[in-house]
Amino acid sequence: MMIIMQRLREHYGPWALITGASDGIGRAFAHELAAAGVHVVLVARRGDVLEALARELRTAHGVEVRVVAADLAQADGVARTVEAIADLDLGLFVAAAGYGTSGDFIGADLAVELAMIDVNCRAVAALTQPIGRKLVERGRGGLVFMSSLVAFQGAPRAANYAATKAYIQTLAEGLAIELRGTGVDVLAVAPGPVQSGFASRADMKMSVTDSPATVARGALHALGHRTTTRPGRWSKLLAWSLATLPRWGRVQVMSKVMHGMTRHQQLPREGHPWATHTLPPAP
């Protein structure tokens, strides 16, 4: 453990930027990196929650902490984040901000779905390019992207969310090759169900989950050693069970999984012509 903490400080320090740091996996990354002695910049919409976390990290680990209250769905939120790190020797970017939705895409609130694309994809690209340039110039660093188990095939009843994660997965895979030899490591983190605020916001019910700390620790252990990691026992189990299936078969399995997670919903949303229908049986 001490060797891992030393590697984090020396290769990926002295500063790390973590988006989505107020909750779940992002918050777990903040704790793990601060415990390793890495100073952190915390980004999320809820400034009061970030300030409380900053005080906690300073007291527990003696690190410096910067707080950026920003909505990454908005261009000015991305711009303020880039400005906040301009004077820092940043060595690590953890793109943990993001959210999901569930239900039939055709009946969904389009504004919410487009905002999800902005946060999950557009903001990641807009931050990765300037940060990536800084890391290449300094000759070392890391980029950590939050992919998902659903990134590797379509996921009915989470179709748009799965598509955003497919973007992240393929972005990470491509960048890993482009940045080979620069000293900059790229990692896609593809967890399964995680115990966090994600499920509540996405209106899903998850019966089995891994902890955010398990995901963060697994990712930091894998950084610099592989391009994709699936931390947590449920991620590994689900990935193994899908591995031998063709893509269409994986889509069918994910349809059944998502059906179970959204069985409580009434389909579709009020105001649409199919609003009186209930959830159809699983395929």
Side-chain angles (χ1 to χ4, degrees):
M1 184 64 181
M2 290 300 297
I3 294 176
I4 294 172
M5 295 176 71
Q6 182 178 356
R7 181 175 68 91
L8 289 174
R9 285 194 305 269
E10 293 180 353
H11 194 74
Y12 305 111
W15 282 88
L17 169 67
I18 307 164
T19 63
S22 61
D23 188 27
I25 295 172
R27 188 182 184 94
F29 269 109
H31 276 284
E32 294 297 320
L33 288 168
V38 179
H39 309 306
V40 291
V41 181
L42 310 176
V43 181
R45 293 180 302 161
R46 296 176 292 171
D48 57 337
V49 176
L50 291 182
E51 290 291 355
L53 175 59
R55 290 192 294 271
E56 182 180 339
L57 297 178
R58 292 184 188 112
T59 301
H61 306 295
V63 296
E64 296 182 50
V65 184
R66 285 190 184 179
V67 167
V68 183
D71 182 356
L72 295 179
Q74 306 297 323
D76 68 331
V78 174
R80 281 190 284 118
T81 301
V82 173
E83 182 180 1
I85 61 173
D87 64 327
L88 299 179
D89 184 14
L90 190 78
L92 182 63
F93 173 35
V94 179
Y99 67 92
T101 58
S102 65
D104 284 358
F105 176 75
I106 299 302
D109 184 325
L110 182 58
V112 173
E113 298 295 324
L114 293 178
M116 181 172 65
I117 295 172
D118 286 337
V119 175
N120 292 10
C121 302
R122 184 184 181 90
V124 174
L127 289 170
T128 296
Q129 190 176 76
I131 292 171
R133 287 172 177 166
K134 290 183 66 170
L135 298 182
V136 170
E137 288 173 0
R138 77 197 291 266
R140 60 187 173 90
L143 299 167
V144 177
F145 299 104
M146 291 309 304
S147 178
S148 170
L149 181 69
V150 301
F152 304 96
Q153 66 284 305
R157 299 193 57 72
N160 193 33
Y161 171 69
T164 68
K165 291 305 173 180
Y167 169 81
I168 292 299
Q169 180 66 37
T170 54
L171 177 67
E173 290 172 355
L175 285 177
I177 301 298
E178 291 182 4
L179 297 178
R180 184 178 293 169
T182 66
V184 180
D185 300 320
V186 181
L187 179 69
V189 185
V194 177
Q195 184 181 6
S196 69
F198 172 88
S200 177
R201 184 171 185 181
D203 196 19
M204 300 178 191
K205 293 187 182 299
M206 299 178 178
S207 57
V208 293
T209 57
D210 289 308
S211 71
T214 296
V215 175
R217 289 169 189 160
L220 292 173
H221 285 191
L223 183 60
H225 301 296
R226 63 194 71 159
T227 300
T228 298
T229 188
R230 295 173 172 84
R233 60 176 178 170
W234 293 113
S235 177
K236 290 180 174 62
L237 177 62
L238 291 169
W240 175 82
S241 67
L242 293 169
T244 59
L245 297 176
R247 189 177 180 95
W248 65 264
R250 299 200 304 270
V251 173
Q252 291 299 312
V253 171
M254 289 308 304
S255 180
K256 294 181 179 180
V257 171
M258 286 305 305
H259 184 277
M261 288 185 179
T262 59
R263 186 182 294 276
H264 62 286
Q265 296 178 5
Q266 292 295 311
L267 282 183
R269 301 168 190 267
E270 184 179 354
H272 290 274
W274 50 86
T276 59
H277 292 208
T278 56
L279 193 67

